[in-house]
Amino acid sequence: MTGGAAEALAELEAQGATVAVAESLTGGLLAAALVAVPGASRCFRGSVTAYATELKASVLGVDPGLLAARGAVDAEVAGQMAEGVRRLMGADYGVATTGVAGPDPQDGQPVGTVHLAVAGPGGLSHSLLHLSPGRATIRRRTVEVALELLGDAVRSRRVSSSGLTGNRTSDATGSLSVHTANTRGGAMDTAQSEHDRAPRT
C-alpha cells in the first residue's frame, strides 16, 4: 500500500495539490497508508472516519434522505462523502470509501461490495468493487484501489491542464467517471464506462 500512496502523493506534490480522505469500512487504513510516506504532510490535509451512518450526514454533509433511501453503501453516498471531506478540509482532492467488509451483508448489499469516489478539480470519479470475502482482504484491497483511483484523477488533471487528450476524468462540472472492478480468487478484471453527465436521482 505504501507504494501506491507514495505514487499518489508524488503526483499531488508535482501539482502543488492537497488531499483529504473520508473513510467508512477502511476505518483509517487509507489515511494510515498516506501518512506512512515520509513528507506526506506536504499534501495530506487530514481525514474523517465516519463509521456510523449518521456521521456521514452530520460531519460530511451527505444528504440524510439519500442515506435513508439507499443506505450508506451507494455510489452517490461515496461521491458526497468525497465532496464533503474535500470542502471540510479545504483540500484539492477528496477520497471516500464506503462498503461492506463483513461478516454480514449491509443495506441489502453483499459482503465485498465497495464504493470509492474521488472528487477533485476535474470532477468526480467512482469505482465499484466486488471483492472476495475476507474482512482484512476487503479493507486492504479497498485502500489499494482508492490510491490507484486518486493517482488516476491527479494524473488526468495534469494531462488535461497541459492540453493533451485522453484524460479519464472530464473537466465538466458534475461529470462522473465510473470504473468497476471484480475480484474473484485473486484476479481482478476492470472496465470503464462512458462519462455520465446526468446527475443521479
Side-chain angles (χ1 to χ4, degrees), residues 7-200:
E7 291 174 7
L9 287 167
E11 289 284 351
L12 287 162
E13 187 170 4
Q15 290 191 32
T18 57
V19 65
V21 301
E23 302 186 61
S24 186
L25 84 156
T26 47
L29 288 179
L30 179 54
L34 289 165
V35 301
V37 179
S41 60
R42 290 192 290 269
C43 302
F44 181 57
R45 295 281 293 166
S47 65
V48 171
T49 300
Y51 209 65
T53 297
E54 63 268 21
L55 291 180
K56 295 174 176 64
S58 62
V59 177
L60 295 172
V62 177
D63 179 5
L66 175 65
L67 289 166
R70 300 186 193 168
V73 185
D74 178 79
E76 193 168 350
V77 169
Q80 290 189 17
M81 288 173 64
E83 291 283 9
V85 79
R86 179 189 182 206
R87 180 175 58 250
L88 181 67
M89 299 201 173
D92 297 296
Y93 292 86
V95 185
T97 69
T98 184
V100 188
D104 301 314
Q106 178 185 337
D107 299 327
Q109 301 296 327
V111 173
T113 303
V114 177
H115 290 277
L116 306 173
V118 174
L124 184 66
S125 298
H126 168 255
S127 280
L128 168 62
L129 310 182
H130 296 289
L131 302 175
S132 297
R135 186 174 177 84
T137 300
I138 289 169
R139 296 173 73 224
R140 175 185 55 78
R141 185 60 184 144
T142 296
V143 171
E144 291 171 351
V145 178
L147 292 169
E148 292 169 8
L149 192 64
L150 172 61
D152 284 350
V154 179
R155 281 187 292 272
S156 294
R157 183 63 177 172
R158 172 166 51 80
V159 170
S160 176
S161 297
S162 69
L164 301 176
T165 59
N167 56 308
R168 294 174 64 184
T169 305
S170 170
D171 286 330
T173 301
S175 65
L176 178 65
S177 176
V178 181
H179 310 262
T180 62
N182 294 276
T183 297
R184 291 291 182 268
M188 170 167 280
D189 297 318
T190 61
Q192 178 181 342
S193 79
E194 295 293 331
H195 293 302
D196 179 5
R197 293 180 175 81
R200 293 181 60 180

